[in-house]
Amino acid sequence: MQTPTKILIIGNGMVGHHFVEQMRQSDADAHITVLCGEANLAYDRVYLSSVFDGKTAADLALTTFDNYQQLNINVHTNQWVNEIDKTNKVVSTQTGDKFNYDKLILATGSYPFVPPIKGNDQPHCLVYRTLEDLEQIKASAAQSKSGVVIGGGLLGLEAANAIKQLGLDTHVVEFAPQLMAVQLDEQGGTLLKNKIEKLGVSVHTAKATSEIVKGETSRYRLNFSDDTFLETDLILFSAGIRPYDELGKVAELELGQRGGIVINNQCQTSNPDIYAIGECALWDKKLFGLVAPGYNMARVVASQLTGGELEFLGADMSTKLKLLGVEVGSIGDAHAKTPDCKELIYQDPIRDCYKKIILNETGNKLLGAVLVGDTSDYDTLLQYMLNDMELPAHPECLILPDSEGAPVLAGNALPDTATICSCHNVSKGDIVGAIDGGSCDLSAVKACTKAASGCGGCAALLKSVVDSELQSRGVEVNNHVCEHFAFSRQELLHLVKVESIKTFDDLLAKHGSGHHGCEICKPAVASILASTWNEFILEPAHVGLQDTNDTYLANMQKDGSYSVVPRIAGGEITPDKLIVIGQVAKDFNLYCKVTGGQRIDLFGARLEELPIIWERLIAAGFETGHAYGKSLRTVKSCVGSTWCRYGVQDSVGHAIAIENRYKGLRAPHKFKMAVSGCTRECAEAQSKDIGVIATENGWNLYVCGNGGMRPRHADLFATDLDTETLIKYIDRVIMFYIKTADKLQRTSVWMENLEGGLDYLKSVVIDDSLGICHELETQMALITKTYACEWKKAVESPEASKRFRQFINSPDADSNILFVQERNQIRPATESEKRNQQNSTNRIPVMEIEQEQADVLA
């Protein structure tokens, strides 16, 4: 009987663990031993920052000791290797243990580069790489007010997000003249900098730190080579990574001039029995700092050791990610270095996005792309480049917004060789093969191929390809919320209600997959939970699901300040309340605007001011207007029969009653209503989600209209209704919409997609064809009965109030929020105006703009 091959792996990061899985799948008998330097087994470094959102090491774990035991894998943690004897094939560790091998796999990864700056080894000078590093960062942040990240690349910006989440006044210092210089061009880097600064992170580019000394107002002072300086309490080095190739030196393997263990196409080092994979490996003088190439190397070695012929032939380093909430994408030749290439650029200062595609000389092939602010085109552009596909006749349609004729690549538009999931090297052909083999839905395809189970960036493209392939075979396609839930929004709402599920974590554990959820399912489930149970959204179990606006019960504006929008039901307000709003606006220097929805919006409030402002407004009888939520916004009204000589019904009174009934109701999307007192339609009811128009005999009800970029006239639903029937029908329509609409679907789109359309909706609501009207009314009654003003609860809760501080350890305000005076009110300062203010001897001078404009007009 042949003795099983002894395979020894040094390193148990994501790549090392992937090799273990691949090897065990290929060879059930191989003797596999893993030496792990850390105390933790393999965990997901891609989601490392989620620890600051409350995730634990167990949540990030990719495996367990029990799992390895079931796979017959010998694993040893806290084992640092210090010697490799190539002749006798023995590895020795610092603890004195020795391990024999037939084949040795080096998966030692990389370590964070700390620039050789004088004073870089002091306490509170940290790195951002492991779970242990994060614990040190949290401990330091608890004793700090400000933090600086040295490094403005991918890892640096992720680290900046981490310390900002901890409540520190955050700065990024970058040696290069722009952020993400490897991935972005100058214009993209500039826009990224501007967007990040608007979110409250100060960015300092073209800064070389010469030394770190004791500070005067903070713990440390960073002195720069241009004689400027910056003071801070915490310093986080994230200036790149270096391959951990020390064991290559110990074993006298061939190394690159600038580091890295040299490998061939089979991932063998200069010793044929030693392989290197992941970030420690140097192929064709290139290092690969992404997880997908490392996974590919792991598959290659597993193939080579089991008689296969897979080879590593390099990897595409295109990337799509979200940094501090800003979408960024980089594809191929982002810097347009290819000779005679052409560039097409779309820049939108309104939407604050920048897109560039690089074409070959003839303009028919895509070489690269840069996307900042909007990466919705990333998957399509990447497939054009990777598959060398012919571009459309007008390639600009690929990046222009709402461009007619822009192709959507999925299904038969892609070749079978197209890589869909780079983490697990899954092609379109693999997906088709899985479907041929009986995988008849998205979850089954994922289980079979592991596609979208790595970084998750390919989830949307995977779903598109699976849906297209299934449709071509006549299979009905599902509308799952995302890759974490194999259910539609409607099905999730049913599960939540029937099983009395109250938290996202419980729903994920019972009916989902993965550890974290995503930006699609989290807010969708938050909406479902709120529509079903109406619990306070700032409870610990719910707050992590919300976007920025819901988290702070206010809409964040472009400069990082917030708006305050009290409810003014039906547009009716007393003089006393008007005086309160005016006084609050004066005391906090807020910009005032009367809106089209008959409310008064106050802009320019700082985060720490929000509870104080709302305390005063609530004391005067105001409630939150829910301008930040996917919920009822306003019920617009005319003055109706009370004042107007044409009015036939009391539109104001009914608008107030309707707004007070449905206020706070969470839905798949925001919705608006209006009540007009006669057919002259001064309240514009027929452009609203729910519109009511008075007649001599009662009320006409209109449904599913909206304004916006694609206006839709509301449909006449019922005529001459009495008030009781009107409210009953509105209850049923809204609750049926909440139960059946897709995530982020407006009522207008819902109606257009509703099979049977208006007639079907009438049969459900008026004729009770589904027998659910009592249920719909009961659910609405629960919501209306349990309503509570979210801001009132927030200011009364000491725990909730803690959230409204710009810096966790300091009452200081955000110095990046600056205003100028225009038309006797404030507005956000432009970048040039900020620089003028910051350079002035007066810290925040007021600039008078109005007279300058008058002079220009004259």
Side-chain angles (χ1 to χ4, degrees):
M1 183 176 177
Q2 187 176 0
T3 304
T5 304
K6 287 185 178 179
I7 298 172
L8 181 64
I9 304 109
I10 301 177
N12 191 230
M14 296 178 72
V15 172
H17 170 66
H18 190 70
F19 170 76
V20 171
E21 289 187 319
Q22 295 295 308
M23 191 65 215
R24 183 51 84 215
Q25 287 178 16
S26 301
D27 187 342
D29 298 320
H31 185 279
I32 301 175
T33 300
V34 178
L35 302 182
C36 176
E38 291 188 50
N40 295 290
L41 292 180
Y43 53 88
D44 193 342
R45 293 187 196 273
V46 174
Y47 291 99
L48 194 62
S49 60
S50 67
V51 170
F52 296 115
D53 292 328
K55 296 299 181 183
T56 64
D59 294 324
L60 295 181
L62 297 175
T63 187
T64 62
F65 286 100
D66 287 342
N67 183 43
Y68 270 0
Q69 187 174 15
Q70 291 171 9
L71 293 173
N72 194 24
I73 308 293
N74 301 308
V75 61
H76 305 268
T77 54
N78 293 309
Q79 288 282 7
W80 286 93
V81 175
N82 57 8
E83 185 179 348
I84 298 175
D85 181 349
K86 293 185 297 183
T87 303
N88 296 306
K89 293 189 175 181
V90 176
V91 164
S92 302
T93 68
Q94 290 179 349
T95 58
D97 295 311
K98 296 184 182 297
F99 298 88
N100 299 315
Y101 69 85
D102 296 316
K103 302 292 181 181
L104 177 64
I105 318 300
L106 302 179
T108 50
S110 61
Y111 63 91
F113 171 66
V114 178
I117 301 168
K118 184 179 179 182
N120 65 9
D121 56 350
Q122 301 179 73
H124 303 280
C125 293
L126 308 170
V127 295
Y128 180 82
R129 187 65 177 165
T130 67
L131 284 168
E132 288 80 4
D133 293 336
L134 265 60
E135 292 303 318
Q136 292 184 45
I137 292 168
K138 285 198 286 188
S140 175
Q143 309 168 48
S144 303
K145 294 181 180 179
S146 59
V148 167
V149 175
I150 296 182
L154 292 175
L155 295 176
L157 295 179
E158 187 175 333
N161 185 48
I163 61 173
K164 181 172 173 56
Q165 286 179 315
L166 290 171
L168 302 189
D169 178 13
T170 304
H171 298 255
V172 173
V173 173
E174 168 57 37
F175 176 75
Q178 68 165 80
L179 296 176
M180 288 184 64
V182 174
Q183 292 84 10
L184 302 181
D185 62 359
E186 182 180 353
Q187 287 171 280
T190 299
L191 177 60
L192 178 61
K193 174 179 182 289
N194 293 340
K195 290 176 78 72
I196 286 175
E197 288 189 322
K198 286 176 184 176
L199 295 172
V201 174
S202 301
V203 178
H204 313 265
T205 53
K207 292 289 184 182
T209 308
S210 55
E211 62 176 347
I212 300 169
V213 298
K214 184 178 180 182
E216 296 180 6
T217 60
S218 300
R219 187 176 287 129
Y220 297 122
R221 168 171 159 162
L222 280 72
N223 288 330
F224 301 128
S225 59
D226 60 2
D227 295 329
T228 60
F229 66 89
L230 176 65
E231 295 217 348
T232 185
D233 296 313
L234 182 157
I235 298 171
L236 202 51
F237 293 105
S238 191
I241 56 176
R242 296 292 184 268
Y244 191 84
D245 55 10
E246 187 63 31
L247 292 180
K249 296 176 186 176
V250 169
E252 298 181 340
L253 302 176
E254 181 183 354
L255 304 180
Q257 286 187 348
R258 302 182 64 181
I261 302 169
V262 175
I263 61 171
N264 59 17
N265 292 358
Q266 290 74 40
C267 296
Q268 287 172 306
T269 67
S270 53
N271 184 296
D273 290 325
I274 301 178
Y275 297 77
I277 57 177
E279 293 170 338
C280 68
L282 181 74
W283 177 87
D284 193 28
K285 300 181 180 178
K286 299 182 185 74
L287 294 164
F288 299 89
L290 300 178
V291 69
Y295 280 2
N296 197 0
M297 293 179 191
R299 287 189 290 270
V300 167
V301 176
S303 170
Q304 292 291 326
L305 294 182
T306 54
E309 297 180 353
L310 280 184
E311 291 186 332
F312 182 76
L313 301 174
D316 173 60
M317 296 298 284
S318 301
T319 185
K320 176 180 70 171
L321 61 161
K322 204 166 188 178
L323 298 164
L324 289 155
V326 181
E327 295 181 5
V328 178
S330 175
I331 296 173
D333 184 12
H335 291 280
K337 294 180 179 179
T338 304
D340 301 319
C341 63
K342 305 288 191 296
E343 298 181 15
L344 290 177
I345 295 173
Y346 167 74
Q347 193 155 7
D348 186 343
I350 305 300
R351 296 171 64 207
D352 219 13
C353 69
Y354 168 79
K355 301 181 181 184
K356 180 178 79 172
I357 53 177
I358 299 94
L359 313 178
N360 64 353
E361 185 177 4
T362 57
N364 67 334
K365 295 293 177 69
L366 185 73
L367 303 177
V370 174
L371 308 169
V372 179
D374 177 11
T375 57
S376 57
D377 305 316
Y378 178 88
D379 288 339
T380 295
L381 294 172
L382 181 64
Q383 292 302 323
Y384 269 110
M385 187 206 71
L386 290 179
N387 298 293
D388 196 32
M389 299 172 65
E390 192 86 9
L391 292 172
H394 298 283
E396 65 274 12
C397 72
L398 295 170
I399 55 174
L400 291 177
D402 303 320
S403 180
E404 293 186 9
V408 178
L409 291 180
N412 56 17
L414 290 173
D416 282 351
T417 55
T419 299
I420 305 303
C421 174
S422 57
C423 286
H424 292 282
N425 196 32
V426 181
S427 68
K428 182 202 163 187
D430 296 327
I431 293 167
V432 172
I435 294 173
D436 288 338
S439 299
C440 53
D441 58 30
L442 181 63
S443 60
V445 170
K446 288 177 64 176
C448 178
T449 65
K450 289 199 172 181
S453 62
C455 71
C458 65
L461 181 60
L462 173 67
K463 186 178 188 306
S464 176
V465 172
V466 171
D467 287 354
S468 178
E469 186 63 26
L470 290 174
Q471 284 174 339
S472 70
R473 302 174 185 219
V475 178
E476 185 177 352
V477 174
N478 67 60
N479 57 340
H480 295 169
V481 166
C482 68
E483 68 268 25
H484 299 105
F485 290 100
F487 300 94
S488 67
R489 183 190 182 279
Q490 182 180 359
E491 290 166 336
L492 283 181
L493 187 145
H494 181 75
L495 290 170
V496 163
K497 188 172 182 181
V498 170
E499 299 184 20
S500 295
I501 296 173
K502 299 292 183 74
T503 69
F504 177 85
D505 287 343
D506 284 348
L507 184 63
L508 186 65
K510 290 182 179 180
H511 300 290
S513 61
H515 303 294
H516 316 287
C518 65
E519 294 175 3
I520 296 174
C521 61
K522 282 184 176 180
V525 172
S527 171
I528 290 169
L529 293 172
S531 300
T532 306
W533 310 118
N534 211 23
E535 293 181 344
F536 185 35
I537 65 169
L538 295 191
E539 291 289 346
H542 303 313
V543 71
L545 307 179
Q546 314 296 337
D547 62 15
T548 299
N549 292 340
D550 274 307
T551 296
Y552 297 116
L553 305 181
N555 282 332
M556 177 186 275
Q557 304 305 312
K558 62 186 290 186
D559 64 338
S561 65
Y562 293 83
S563 63
V564 173
V565 186
R567 182 173 301 285
I568 302 177
E572 182 181 86
I573 188 168
T574 65
D576 286 341
K577 285 190 174 181
L578 277 174
I579 290 169
V580 170
I581 289 179
Q583 194 60 54
V584 166
K586 284 189 69 174
D587 290 349
F588 291 89
N589 192 27
L590 304 177
Y591 171 86
C592 298
K593 174 77 169 64
V594 178
T595 73
Q598 299 178 332
R599 298 195 296 200
I600 299 173
D601 290 4
L602 308 176
F603 292 85
R606 297 173 184 272
L607 182 63
E608 66 276 6
E609 293 173 338
L610 290 174
I612 308 169
I613 291 171
W614 274 106
E615 210 165 4
R616 288 178 55 175
L617 291 173
I618 288 165
F622 285 104
E623 294 179 333
T624 175
H626 287 93
Y628 47 82
K630 298 292 185 287
S631 56
L632 174 66
R633 294 295 176 86
T634 60
V635 181
K636 189 175 182 179
S637 73
C638 61
V639 294
S641 59
T642 307
W643 293 91
C644 179
R645 57 198 175 108
Y646 299 105
V648 295
Q649 298 282 357
D650 178 13
S651 56
V652 178
H654 279 80
I656 293 171
I658 287 173
E659 185 159 351
N660 283 329
R661 180 170 181 79
Y662 302 114
K663 60 188 178 183
L665 175 63
R666 301 277 167 164
H669 212 296
K670 66 182 179 183
F671 61 101
K672 301 177 183 180
M673 301 184 183
V675 181
S676 286
C678 72
T679 54
R680 290 166 62 90
E681 251 283 70
C682 293
E684 302 167 331
Q686 293 178 74
S687 65
K688 300 295 189 287
D689 299 274
I690 298 290
V692 179
I693 300 177
T695 71
E696 296 286 353
N697 301 314
W699 304 98
N700 285 355
L701 174 60
Y702 291 79
V703 299
C704 301
N706 73 267
M709 293 182 67
R710 193 167 67 88
R712 183 185 190 277
H713 204 279
D715 293 314
L716 179 60
F717 187 79
T719 59
D720 296 335
L721 302 173
D722 60 70
T723 301
E724 182 182 355
T725 305
L726 172 73
I727 297 301
K728 181 169 65 176
Y729 284 178
I730 295 175
D731 280 358
R732 294 175 180 180
V733 170
I734 294 176
M735 195 51 68
F736 188 56
Y737 159 64
I738 289 173
K739 284 176 68 68
T740 61
D742 203 357
K743 57 186 182 294
L744 297 178
Q745 191 175 54
R746 295 292 298 267
T747 60
S748 57
V749 181
W750 171 68
M751 170 64 84
E752 290 169 356
N753 293 339
L754 198 63
E755 190 172 347
L758 181 64
D759 289 339
Y760 172 69
L761 184 61
K762 285 181 178 180
S763 73
V764 172
V765 170
I766 298 174
D767 303 329
D768 197 14
S769 61
L770 299 180
I772 61 170
C773 285
H774 177 71
E775 178 191 343
L776 299 177
E777 292 171 11
T778 301
Q779 182 64 25
M780 185 64 78
L782 171 68
I783 298 298
T784 56
K785 188 172 103 174
T786 56
Y787 169 79
C789 173
E790 290 169 349
W791 261 114
K792 187 173 188 296
K793 294 189 75 170
V795 298
E796 290 174 350
S797 166
E799 194 61 36
S801 296
K802 289 179 182 177
R803 300 192 57 79
F804 300 94
R805 295 180 65 177
Q806 188 66 47
F807 310 116
I808 195 168
N809 296 318
S810 170
D812 294 346
D814 187 350
S815 60
N816 292 298
I817 300 176
L818 302 176
F819 303 108
V820 296
Q821 197 84 3
E822 185 173 76
R823 296 189 298 278
N824 297 317
Q825 293 207 83
I826 63 166
R827 68 158 170 80
T830 64
E831 292 305 314
S832 61
E833 289 166 348
K834 282 184 180 181
R835 286 193 291 272
N836 290 339
Q837 288 195 34
Q838 289 164 344
N839 292 335
S840 171
T841 52
N842 183 5
R843 184 171 178 274
I844 307 180
V846 174
M847 297 175 61
E848 293 292 347
I849 305 296
E850 192 172 51
Q851 186 57 49
E852 295 177 15
Q853 292 180 334
D855 292 342
V856 171
L857 292 172

